[in-house]
Amino acid sequence: MGIHGLTSFIYDNPELLKNYELHDTRVVIDGNNLYHYLYYSSHVNHQYGGDYDHFANQVRQFFGVLQECGIESYVIFDGAYETNDRKLRTVLARAKERIHLAAFISQGMKAKVLPILTHETLVNVLTELNVRHATTSFEADNEIAALASEWECPVISNDSDFYIFNLTGGFIPLDCLSVHLHVKKDNSGKPEYKYVEAQIYHTDNFVKCFTGISKDNLPLFATLLGNDFIDSRVFDPFLASVKLPMEQLNSCKRHIQIQRVLLCLEDTSTTQKVLQRLSRHITKDKWEAIEQLIYNSVSGYCKTYTNLASHFGDSSLITHSNSSLVTYGGKALPNWFPMAFHKGQLPTLIANAIVSHRVILPTQVESMKQLSAYTCCAPLRHIIYGILLLHDQCDKSYEGTELNKDTCIEEWNREVKGQKRLLVKPVFSLTDSKPLPHLDSIPELPIEERRELLMCMLECDKSKLTDLPDELTLVCAAIIYWVKHAQPQVYYRHLVAVLVSIIKLLIIDTADVSSSHNVNQDAQTCDGKNSSGDHEFIMISVLGKECPSRHVVGARSRLHKFTATPTHNAAHQFDASIVHGFSQFQACLREIMYLNKLLLVPYTCPGPAYIFNGTFAYQLCRELRTRKQPDLFILELLGRSSVFATFYNKFHAVVLENTPSEFFLQENSARSRKKEKKERSAKASNPVCDSARIKDESHSTSRSKKAKSTIKIACEVNNKFSGLTIEDDTDSDVSDMEMY
């Protein structure tokens, strides 16, 4: 989102940003921008599926400092896709780019792909910290700007669109916010207030610096530069006709374009005059459509009203009458649905499905030769779609209907390294012919009935989960569903790594060992997480008793080595097959959490920060492959006589009772693994001729019978560079190429 090149242009003109002490005020924060910024700026690992506990800790630190400075934060998230599809091209392009980046990582190269449960983790931590947050119906930028203008407070984001909005309280880029506590003292040295250092931008600064442009022309300025709604290349012929002084031609190409737009607006005072000049450079058959896009883009920066303030004052005011959410067929939603959505209690996938009948699944780091990691949980999404479409078409029959967007969900998913569009037919009854509930009736269903319904959707016998506490019922059901439906199947060590990850994050890391100060510091920090009374309550609830400090300290010390980031080289290659299995688990966990929310949370469930750490799971899974007795090794890690080992045995037994051995891939023997490694090394040493050799060997029988055979070389003979391809193997070689 934003205007390409504008942020760097602002930074190249430092007089546009003023030093500022932020304290004792409201701030409106761009939620989607925030979780991208915090995840990447904190260098949280993402190659292995998400270290959500580390990310959650960064969120706690960020808002902890703001709260100490008397700053009242309001976090606003984007809602559903725009129904007019004006951003569809941009959204699909980003989804495609995400596939390419995930493919780079799966081949051992460097790139950035945000883990899929990051948003869920942020919302959970905001709720834990009592930080107010909301989700808008659609794009959040206008709502954020309108709310900040109403409250006359700053906006915090890295989205360059906020340089265009006329914000009374100013705009603070996240890159210009130093979240470190400072204390302001008076002349006598007495503390006055706590603050964080920032740099703030106002549109007044811009129009003072570039005197020929007015605030009213800033939306047109942004439009001519191109944004998510209109491609800047449309205006290239027009801007090429704008002549700049020689001294302004020393900048990069994008900054030169910005200077040309500024000069054009200086020479032409009104929007209409600019459009007249612009129309001379665009053919008549295209001008009408482009003119409409320009007006739509300009008007998008001029919204002055939002109902978010009333939402934060009284959430009951958000009903179908003042929410812009309606179904794809134009039908009003039941009151509880928009209320829950705007409070962040329903995910955007559900809103997209019911509002636009379109869902774009974000690709994870996974093996690109395998089916998408979302394939294993497709039946769960079909159930979600069924519940939603029942409301839109409750008076119509779907029997024998044609597959189209009126009766199906348009789902975009990964296929190999490309995008595939599918029309997915929803499910309206479960395997035992039990009908799905209507949206109107869900709040009226007793909690036990909703629990039974959810377990039926997961094809799970709740009576076999009674040995576990309620807090882990849904997580256990998700694990069982994952193992049963994984495509390809996962190894037993995948399961063990997930079980230990949960015990570590939910119990061991949250235990209070404040009475033990003389132990190893690394073991005590539990990777930076803070313990709290709530977490201690969960631990006691799960274990059934308090945990001795010596058990906690010992387990933390032994498990700590698996939290280190792996080093990949020729001897230790990135193993995409391990990550793919965990990506399937995250996909299942996500869809099950969404179903639970759609049924108004019949089961309490820990957040992702207490369930999964990708780096830890990857390292442990890789270690277990080398162990002849993995279960004995795990008990040694947890402490044989500890309460953690006892609970692991119980947790492990419940899962295995529901997942017989035929659901797991069988491990290769040590001899087979050595043979595979040797073959991979030979292949790496001669990649160009490898395919020719295999093809030649495949015809050896026919050659012995003097039959004609054809050997196909795997490269162009006349092109010496054609053999330099990147192999997309499950256990891919690490390339020297790095993608940032």
Side-chain angles (χ1 to χ4, degrees):
M1 181 61 187
I3 304 155
H4 176 62
L6 182 56
T7 296
S8 59
F9 181 79
I10 296 290
Y11 291 169
D12 280 354
N13 293 272
E15 64 273 20
L16 297 176
L17 293 163
K18 305 297 182 183
N19 292 333
Y20 187 71
E21 295 177 356
L22 184 65
H23 66 95
D24 299 300
T25 181
R26 289 171 166 172
V27 292
V28 181
I29 301 176
D30 180 348
N32 292 68
N33 215 270
L34 178 69
Y35 61 69
H36 281 84
Y37 172 79
L38 285 181
Y39 203 101
Y40 293 136
S41 67
S42 304
H43 307 291
V44 181
N45 277 347
H46 56 274
Q47 300 96 318
Y48 311 100
D51 292 0
Y52 299 111
D53 54 326
H54 294 171
F55 172 67
N57 189 54
Q58 294 300 320
V59 175
R60 293 187 189 101
Q61 290 180 3
F62 179 86
F63 286 100
V65 172
L66 295 188
Q67 287 172 343
E68 277 205 64
C69 296
I71 298 167
E72 192 176 347
S73 302
Y74 294 82
V75 183
I76 312 299
F77 294 98
D78 287 330
Y81 307 134
E82 298 281 352
T83 54
N84 56 17
D85 288 349
R86 64 177 182 168
K87 280 191 66 174
L88 180 60
R89 178 177 57 84
T90 302
V91 172
L92 289 175
R94 288 175 181 165
K96 187 175 182 180
E97 177 65 14
R98 184 181 170 100
I99 293 173
H100 294 159
L101 295 175
F104 286 136
I105 297 174
S106 71
Q107 295 169 103
M109 294 182 285
K110 292 184 179 180
K112 291 181 179 179
V113 173
L114 193 75
I116 62 170
L117 298 176
T118 305
H119 176 274
E120 186 77 17
T121 302
L122 175 57
V123 171
N124 287 347
V125 177
L126 293 179
T127 303
E128 170 193 319
L129 299 176
N130 293 316
V131 174
R132 307 295 295 276
H133 61 279
T135 303
T136 60
S137 296
F138 301 105
E139 179 84 26
D141 288 6
N142 295 327
E143 302 274 351
I144 290 171
L147 180 63
S149 295
E150 184 175 338
W151 285 346
E152 298 184 348
C153 69
V155 167
I156 297 178
S157 174
N158 261 345
D159 189 337
S160 55
D161 277 321
F162 290 109
Y163 290 113
I164 305 303
F165 289 103
N166 186 19
L167 302 169
T168 308
F171 167 49
I172 298 175
L174 276 164
D175 288 331
C176 299
L177 179 66
S178 176
V179 189
H180 298 287
L181 197 63
H182 297 271
V183 179
K184 184 74 170 182
K185 297 180 180 180
D186 60 18
N187 294 333
S188 64
K190 189 176 181 180
E192 282 190 77
Y193 55 83
K194 297 176 181 178
Y195 68 94
V196 292
E197 293 180 343
Q199 287 186 302
I200 195 166
Y201 164 91
H202 288 87
T203 51
D204 288 337
N205 300 343
F206 195 92
V207 298
K208 285 177 183 176
C209 184
F210 303 100
T211 54
I213 189 171
S214 68
K215 290 182 184 180
D216 293 338
N217 270 347
L218 284 177
L220 181 58
F221 165 73
T223 300
L224 294 177
L225 290 175
N227 51 30
D228 286 346
F229 306 119
I230 190 164
D231 194 330
S232 63
R233 290 175 295 184
V234 171
F235 308 118
D236 283 351
F238 165 61
L239 294 177
S241 67
V242 179
K243 304 302 180 183
L244 286 176
M246 288 297 296
E247 63 269 16
Q248 293 183 355
L249 296 176
N250 295 326
S251 302
C252 67
K253 181 179 178 181
R254 186 57 177 168
H255 288 188
I256 290 173
Q257 290 289 75
I258 293 174
Q259 293 283 6
R260 282 176 170 153
V261 173
L262 288 171
L263 183 60
C264 167
L265 294 177
E266 286 179 10
D267 294 340
T268 312
S269 57
T270 66
T271 300
Q272 196 57 45
K273 288 183 178 179
V274 173
L275 293 182
Q276 286 176 1
R277 288 182 60 185
L278 182 60
S279 64
R280 300 172 197 155
H281 299 268
I282 298 175
T283 58
K284 290 183 179 180
D285 59 319
K286 295 180 180 178
W287 173 244
E288 186 175 345
I290 290 174
E291 185 180 28
Q292 188 59 51
L293 284 174
I294 293 171
Y295 277 117
N296 290 342
S297 175
V298 169
S299 64
Y301 292 103
C302 303
K303 180 176 179 179
T304 57
Y305 171 77
T306 178
N307 61 10
L308 282 175
S310 62
H311 163 70
F312 288 121
D314 183 358
S315 60
S316 65
L317 296 175
I318 303 293
T319 66
H320 65 79
S321 60
N322 58 22
S323 172
S324 51
L325 290 178
V326 294
T327 69
Y328 184 73
K331 188 174 181 179
L333 291 160
N335 282 1
W336 71 267
F337 189 97
M339 286 177 61
F341 180 71
H342 291 303
K343 290 163 70 175
Q345 296 169 354
L346 288 176
T348 53
L349 178 143
I350 286 177
N352 286 325
I354 198 166
V355 171
S356 63
H357 282 199
R358 179 183 292 121
V359 169
I360 301 172
L361 299 171
T363 300
Q364 303 180 71
V365 178
E366 51 194 78
S367 174
M368 295 294 139
K369 282 190 173 181
Q370 302 292 351
L371 294 171
S372 165
Y374 292 99
T375 304
C376 62
C377 52
L380 300 179
R381 289 195 302 279
H382 299 174
I383 292 172
I384 292 174
Y385 301 157
I387 295 173
L388 299 174
L389 267 65
L390 270 175
H391 179 78
D392 207 9
Q393 304 284 347
C394 59
D395 56 342
K396 299 179 183 179
S397 172
Y398 278 85
E399 293 299 325
T401 54
E402 180 185 352
L403 292 182
N404 56 52
K405 205 175 170 189
D406 290 330
T407 60
C408 299
I409 299 295
E410 176 189 302
E411 194 174 81
W412 291 81
N413 201 352
R414 177 187 68 80
E415 185 175 62
V416 193
K417 293 184 182 180
Q419 290 174 310
K420 185 171 184 179
R421 174 183 177 270
L422 294 172
L423 285 176
V424 177
K425 191 173 183 179
V427 169
F428 298 105
S429 62
L430 301 176
T431 51
D432 59 355
S433 299
K434 188 181 182 75
L436 295 178
H438 288 252
L439 285 181
D440 291 305
S441 64
I442 289 176
E444 309 301 324
L445 296 176
I447 187 170
E448 284 303 323
E449 189 172 339
R450 284 182 278 130
R451 286 186 169 192
E452 181 183 346
L453 187 61
L454 182 54
M455 287 297 140
C456 186
M457 293 171 179
L458 302 182
E459 302 170 5
C460 188
D461 185 352
K462 187 192 171 188
S463 65
K464 294 183 178 180
L465 308 181
T466 53
D467 286 346
L468 295 176
D470 283 346
E471 291 85 355
L472 286 177
T473 300
L474 196 64
V475 177
C476 186
I479 293 170
I480 293 167
Y481 188 94
W482 161 56
V483 172
K484 285 184 174 181
H485 293 82
Q487 299 179 44
Q489 290 179 312
V490 294
Y491 291 102
Y492 170 71
R493 54 191 162 96
H494 276 101
L495 168 64
V496 173
V498 168
L499 295 181
V500 178
S501 179
I502 293 169
I503 292 172
K504 176 184 183 296
L505 298 172
L506 184 64
I507 306 172
I508 297 174
D509 284 359
T510 59
D512 184 7
V513 290
S514 56
S515 59
S516 302
H517 294 294
N518 57 344
V519 295
N520 182 272
Q521 185 64 32
D522 285 342
Q524 285 197 64
T525 57
C526 65
D527 303 315
K529 234 191 324 284
N530 300 318
S531 24
S532 73
D534 289 341
H535 302 156
E536 185 74 11
F537 172 79
I538 291 174
M539 186 197 73
I540 295 173
S541 173
V542 169
L543 295 178
K545 55 184 174 181
E546 293 188 14
C547 176
S549 293
R550 68 181 186 280
H551 290 182
V552 177
V553 174
R556 285 183 186 173
S557 179
R558 289 185 292 271
L559 293 172
H560 180 73
K561 66 177 181 178
F562 299 107
T563 63
T565 302
T567 300
H568 298 297
N569 50 42
H572 300 284
Q573 300 169 4
F574 182 92
D575 194 335
S577 66
I578 293 179
V579 178
H580 191 90
F582 293 135
S583 293
Q584 292 188 84
F585 170 66
Q586 290 194 79
C588 290
L589 181 64
R590 188 186 85 141
E591 315 305 38
I592 289 170
M593 285 180 166
Y594 289 178
L595 261 175
N596 190 46
K597 290 184 175 187
L598 186 57
L599 294 175
L600 297 180
V601 197
Y603 286 102
T604 57
C605 180
Y610 300 107
I611 296 174
F612 187 74
N613 177 298
T615 302
F616 175 84
Y618 179 90
Q619 289 280 61
L620 182 57
C621 188
R622 193 170 67 169
E623 176 71 23
L624 288 172
R625 188 178 184 183
T626 68
R627 299 287 172 170
K628 292 181 179 180
Q629 296 179 295
D631 291 320
L632 183 60
F633 175 68
I634 293 301
L635 294 180
E636 292 289 349
L637 284 177
L638 297 175
R640 280 196 181 189
S641 60
S642 72
V643 290
F644 307 128
T646 303
F647 180 73
Y648 170 80
N649 285 331
K650 181 190 294 186
F651 200 0
H652 178 263
V654 170
V655 175
L656 285 191
E657 183 183 1
N658 292 273
T659 54
S661 59
E662 61 263 24
F663 287 110
F664 296 99
L665 280 174
Q666 297 302 308
E667 295 281 6
N668 294 331
S669 65
R671 181 176 295 179
S672 298
R673 289 199 297 271
K674 288 180 181 179
K675 185 178 179 181
E676 286 177 5
K677 187 175 181 180
K678 187 175 181 180
E679 288 176 350
R680 284 200 303 270
S681 298
K683 181 179 178 180
S685 65
N686 195 2
V688 177
C689 300
D690 188 59
S691 295
R693 179 183 57 78
I694 293 171
K695 177 66 73 174
D696 190 29
E697 290 174 357
S698 69
H699 289 285
S700 60
T701 304
S702 61
R703 284 201 303 270
S704 67
K705 296 179 182 180
K706 298 184 179 181
K708 290 184 178 180
S709 62
T710 302
I711 298 177
K712 294 184 178 179
I713 304 300
C715 60
E716 297 177 31
V717 177
N718 295 326
N719 182 356
K720 63 183 179 180
F721 299 108
S722 66
L724 301 178
T725 58
I726 299 174
E727 291 293 327
D728 186 16
D729 232 320
T730 303
D731 294 315
S732 302
D733 297 337
V734 179
S735 172
D736 291 332
M737 176 181 177
E738 292 185 346
M739 298 300 296
Y740 292 92

